[in-house]
């Protein structure tokens, strides 16, 4: 049984409205169990310390919920840190249908104070509707870019593969807003302009472009 991802996807021409409209992902279905070969990493600098984002931040935690909280605590307050934090949020999101209580216990700690109420309700509704089928998010061979970094606010975009039963089921690009609160990154929703820009080509070209020109995640899991 194939489960819809917890992130919003556009697969081909059909939009599949699933939870977390606050993070917009555009995906094309992969019929292969093998990941596409990663492209060469460009020699460009990222805003912040110059250190690449860790796509597996929080890896030593005992559970996905603890992992995203650990990632939030450890992510540097740079554009790269924002990307690392949101990668952890996506990994955490894949377990929510099997652990819906974490949205109430972990969610408020990683979402911003002004996270839109209507988007949170849509996430809650979708989690209740989704069956529990194991799925993971991987950042092996994936890339990211910092699209905006203005003081405590940032917009990041990155590619991600969703794996089920050892095969890639979705390939996506995620665009998210984050904000610094209490000295840590928090997920703040989405940037409508960024969504419109990415969705203009239905996702496939946007993924290809980002994997060609973006920064590679330093680590992946």
């Amino acid at each position: 049984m194939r489960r819809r991802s917890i992130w919003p996807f556009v697969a081909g021409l059909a939009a599949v409205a699933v939870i977390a409209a606050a993070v917009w992902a555009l995906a094309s279905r992969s019929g292969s169990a093998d990941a596409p070969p990663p492209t060469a990493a460009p020699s460009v600098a990222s805003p912040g310390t110059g250190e690449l984002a860790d796509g597996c931040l929080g890896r030593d935690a005992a559970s996905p919920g603890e992992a995203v909280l650990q990632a939030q605590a450890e992510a540097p307050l740079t554009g790269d840190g924002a990307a690392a934090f949101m990668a952890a949020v996506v990994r955490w999101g894949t377990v929510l249908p099997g652990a819906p209580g974490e949205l109430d216990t972990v969610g408020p700690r990683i979402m911003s104070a002004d996270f839109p109420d209507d988007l949170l309700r849509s996430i809650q509704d979708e989690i209740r509707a989704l069956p529990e089928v194991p799925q993971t998010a991987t950042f092996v061979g994936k890339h990211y870019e910092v699209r905006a970094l203005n003081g405590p606010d940032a917009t990041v975009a990155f590619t991600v593969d969703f794996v089920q039963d050892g095969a890639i089921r979705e390939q996506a690009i995620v665009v998210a807003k984050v904000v610094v609160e209490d000295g840590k990154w928090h997920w703040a929703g989405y940037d409508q302009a960024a969504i419109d820009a990415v969705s203009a080509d239905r996702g496939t070209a946007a993924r290809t472009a980002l994997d060609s020109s973006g920064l590679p995640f330093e680590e992946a899991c």
Side-chain angles (χ1 to χ4, degrees):
M1 180 178 179
R2 184 180 175 281
R3 195 196 89 192
R4 294 179 298 168
S5 168
I6 69 144
W7 310 106
F9 287 105
V10 172
L13 299 178
V16 183
V18 291
I19 79 169
V23 173
W24 184 263
L26 298 173
S28 60
R29 303 263 176 100
S30 171
S32 169
D34 299 322
T39 55
S43 55
V44 297
S46 176
T49 64
E51 297 180 357
L52 296 175
D54 186 342
C56 200
L57 201 59
R59 62 176 64 74
D60 298 326
S63 70
E66 292 179 15
V68 73
L69 292 172
Q70 180 179 324
Q72 182 188 44
E74 296 178 354
L77 300 183
T78 63
D80 306 294
F85 165 65
M86 277 310 305
V89 172
V90 171
R91 296 199 314 273
W92 168 73
T94 62
V95 307
L96 288 182
E102 289 209 355
L103 188 61
D104 298 322
T105 58
V106 178
R109 300 171 68 180
I110 64 170
M111 294 176 179
S112 66
D114 60 353
F115 193 91
D117 290 338
D118 57 339
L119 296 180
L120 180 57
R121 285 193 296 270
S122 72
I123 294 172
Q124 294 167 333
D125 291 344
E126 287 292 342
I127 287 175
R128 286 191 288 267
L130 290 173
E132 181 184 349
V133 178
Q135 180 171 278
T136 59
T138 178
F139 295 92
V140 175
K142 302 293 101 179
H143 294 72
Y144 72 95
E145 64 184 16
V146 181
R147 295 193 169 177
L149 184 62
N150 302 304
D153 302 302
T155 299
V156 295
F158 51 84
T159 53
V160 57
D161 289 340
F162 291 93
V163 178
Q164 182 183 317
D165 297 328
I168 294 174
R169 300 300 183 183
E170 303 282 0
Q171 297 179 301
I173 181 169
V174 173
V175 182
K177 283 179 61 178
V178 289
V179 62
V180 175
E181 293 179 353
D182 299 324
K184 296 180 288 188
W185 287 115
H186 287 70
W187 178 23
Y190 69 90
D191 184 313
Q192 189 62 51
I195 290 173
D196 293 342
V198 172
S199 60
D201 65 8
R202 302 189 179 100
T204 300
R207 280 192 298 104
T208 301
L210 182 49
D211 274 334
S212 296
S213 63
L215 291 160
F217 280 99
E218 182 177 29
E219 301 287 346
C221 61

